[in-house]
Amino acid sequence: MFDLDRWEEIFDTIRKNKLRTFLTGLSVASGIFIMVILLGFGQGMQNGIQKQFQRDAANRISIWPGVTAVEYKGLNPNRRIQFKNSDYTLAAQKYSDQLAYKSPLYRIWGGLVSYGKESGNYRVEGVLPDYQFLENAEMLDGRFINHLDFQDKRKVAVIGNKVKTDIFKDKEEVLGERIEISGINFIVVGVYTDPGGEREESRVFLPISTTQQVFSGGNNIDNLSFTLPQEENFEAALATSQSFIKNIEQQLKQKHTVAPEDESAINVSNSLEHAKQIYDLIFIIKTFFWWVGIATIFAGVVGVSNIMLIIVKERTKEIGIRKALGARPISIIGMVLQESIFVTAIAGFLGLITSMLLLELIGPYIQTDFIVNPTVNFNVALSTVIVLIVAGGIAGFFPARRAARIKPIVALRDE
């Protein structure tokens, strides 16, 4: 049953000790505020990293040649390795049952792309049809490179949305238009967009067979890219990718006469390994944020316990009178606990509401490369406040027990 007189006593006590109560409540509220903000930014970092990984397929493996670092079988170090079409063909055939998507790549840096009076330098890359899925490219208009383009060495091009905006300006329909790439005519068959933004959309894709022929690439390739089928869990996918990398790296080293221990001749990028490293780092950062928040809240709870001790001391005579009139120890403990829980609950919810409102207002506008829309799960934040209230009750229990043990005769003598 709601005891109005009891709550009036609590408010009266708080008014009498308003400065100490205010400072203690501020400490508790700031603890919750800091924790929620830190957790929000921890989630924002995770969102940002996930956005970075969306640029390419989640389990992409890229392999590119480097320079040998050690002598091997009579061959001097510092040899530059050059991948050939046969490297891709051998890998694609040998591991066909293990691969989801696959494509070689032959790159032309700074290709001059022109349409009418407009022109610009962009990355021009010769690829196979699967490269669309390796890059997570989504078609806005038309289609991507297909197998007939590759087989017939067609002079067709798929351009990024940034390229379209730059050289076609406000022209809406660009399919079928002819563009020049370093003086050679190509027909635009598709326009794509990429989660990576403008940087990833500043590219032009051609059939790799056409690219090698018209740009004097012979049968050279610059990169091998693969994805493996999805696994049931992350650890299994990581183990499968590492096993695949070990096998194909060994195959390429044997073919190009590279020492098994040479780490610089064949370079490998495994997006799953990068993801694991990043998420491990995020876990450490989040754990640190939790530690900072909990430490701040703990300081506030200690403050609540201290102010309850002061209040009990100041109200010693009142407590003695209550006990002399027949108040039971449990009622004295309840009296002190109500005040402790009240201060903790008000401060906790104040910190929670303030921090959630702040994240709600500014979160959507934070869009950096590595922090995107910082948010926090409301249930987690609310659970933290509930734990805080329980902790406040525990913090008030010790002063309450001390108050309950005061003997009436001693209390009445207190000055």
Side-chain angles (χ1 to χ4, degrees):
M1 185 175 179
F2 184 75
D3 188 346
L4 181 60
D5 293 337
R6 179 71 199 110
W7 283 105
E8 285 180 352
E9 288 180 15
I10 292 176
F11 282 112
D12 184 58
T13 303
I14 290 175
R15 282 194 296 269
K16 291 178 181 177
N17 299 275
K18 57 185 178 181
L19 180 59
R20 287 193 294 262
T21 305
F22 172 76
L23 293 175
T24 302
L26 184 63
S27 175
V28 174
S30 64
I32 288 291
F33 180 86
I34 291 171
M35 172 176 277
V36 172
I37 293 297
L38 289 177
L39 292 179
F41 273 86
Q43 183 61 46
M45 291 176 62
Q46 183 168 324
N47 294 341
I49 296 301
Q50 287 175 341
K51 184 178 179 181
Q52 296 293 317
F53 281 113
Q54 285 174 359
R55 293 180 175 181
D56 300 324
N59 57 348
R60 177 172 173 171
I61 297 168
S62 296
I63 307 171
W64 66 97
V67 177
T68 59
V70 297
E71 180 183 357
Y72 186 64
K73 292 187 176 180
L75 298 174
N76 293 327
N78 299 318
R79 286 185 298 119
R80 181 166 294 279
I81 303 301
Q82 176 62 65
F83 287 168
K84 302 290 185 179
N85 287 338
S86 58
D87 292 310
Y88 168 76
T89 303
L90 181 60
Q93 291 175 348
K94 184 174 181 179
Y95 303 104
S96 59
D97 58 335
Q98 300 180 37
L99 301 174
Y101 299 110
K102 53 190 181 294
S103 175
L105 179 144
Y106 180 69
R107 179 179 292 118
I108 307 297
W109 288 98
L112 182 63
V113 180
S114 305
Y115 176 78
K117 296 180 180 180
E118 302 294 337
S119 63
N121 287 304
Y122 304 96
R123 273 192 294 166
V124 177
E125 298 177 337
V127 296
L128 288 180
D130 278 5
Y131 204 75
Q132 175 184 356
F133 307 104
L134 290 163
E135 279 291 321
N136 272 348
E138 181 180 347
M139 300 309 299
L140 292 176
D141 201 6
R143 63 174 177 82
F144 200 74
I145 304 299
N146 62 31
H147 287 288
L148 286 177
D149 297 331
F150 168 73
Q151 291 174 3
D152 297 341
K153 298 182 180 180
R154 294 174 177 174
K155 292 180 181 178
V156 295
V158 178
I159 63 175
N161 194 46
K162 177 68 165 59
V163 179
K164 173 191 171 183
T165 303
D166 288 348
I167 67 172
F168 286 101
K169 299 302 180 183
D170 297 327
K171 188 178 178 64
E172 291 295 329
E173 183 57 51
V174 301
L175 298 184
E177 295 289 341
R178 292 183 180 274
I179 60 173
E180 283 191 6
I181 302 178
S182 299
I184 301 172
N185 287 325
F186 288 82
I187 297 175
V188 176
V189 295
V191 180
Y192 76 91
T193 185
D194 191 286
E198 289 190 352
R199 181 177 178 276
E200 300 299 318
E201 292 176 357
S202 298
R203 293 182 293 175
V204 177
F205 293 124
L206 312 176
I208 188 170
S209 55
T210 308
T211 311
Q212 290 172 326
Q213 183 180 65
V214 301
F215 295 108
S216 304
N219 65 343
N220 293 337
I221 56 177
D222 298 317
N223 185 292
L224 302 172
S225 293
F226 308 98
T227 61
L228 307 179
Q230 296 289 335
E231 296 278 356
E232 292 184 0
N233 60 71
F234 182 84
E235 295 299 330
L238 180 61
T240 301
S241 67
Q242 289 172 334
S243 175
F244 171 77
I245 288 171
K246 181 179 179 181
N247 292 334
I248 195 170
E249 192 174 14
Q250 182 180 23
Q251 172 188 309
L252 289 169
K253 285 182 176 181
Q254 290 176 350
K255 188 172 183 297
H256 291 275
T257 320
V258 174
E261 69 276 12
D262 193 336
E263 299 294 332
S264 65
I266 307 294
N267 301 292
V268 180
S269 174
N270 183 355
S271 63
L272 290 178
E273 287 184 346
H274 296 328
K276 186 176 188 306
Q277 293 169 357
I278 294 297
Y279 287 129
D280 286 348
L281 177 60
I282 289 176
F283 175 77
I284 293 172
I285 292 173
K286 280 188 170 182
T287 302
F288 175 73
F289 286 170
W290 271 103
W291 183 85
V292 171
I294 290 172
T296 308
I297 291 173
F298 179 76
V301 170
V302 171
V304 171
S305 180
N306 289 337
I307 197 173
M308 288 298 107
L309 285 171
I310 294 171
I311 289 173
V312 166
K313 183 173 178 60
E314 290 180 348
R315 298 175 66 184
T316 300
K317 184 170 288 189
E318 176 196 335
I319 292 170
I321 293 172
R322 286 175 178 270
K323 297 193 72 173
L325 293 175
R328 300 176 61 187
I330 190 66
S331 68
I332 301 298
I333 291 175
M335 178 185 72
V336 178
L337 283 181
Q338 283 183 30
E339 296 180 17
S340 173
I341 291 172
F342 178 79
V343 171
T344 309
I346 291 297
F349 280 110
L350 178 63
L352 172 65
I353 293 170
T354 305
S355 57
M356 294 293 288
L357 282 176
L358 183 63
L359 287 176
E360 190 70 24
L361 289 173
I362 70 170
Y365 299 101
I366 299 177
Q367 301 287 335
T368 67
D369 285 344
F370 295 101
I371 300 179
V372 175
N373 192 20
T375 57
V376 67
N377 187 298
F378 180 76
N379 291 331
V380 172
L382 183 60
S383 300
T384 304
V385 174
I386 293 172
V387 171
L388 172 65
I389 294 172
V390 173
I394 295 172
F397 174 76
F398 297 101
R401 186 176 62 174
R402 178 179 175 180
R405 289 178 176 178
I406 295 175
K407 296 180 179 180
I409 188 65
V410 175
L412 292 174
R413 290 176 183 167
D414 187 70
E415 296 295 334

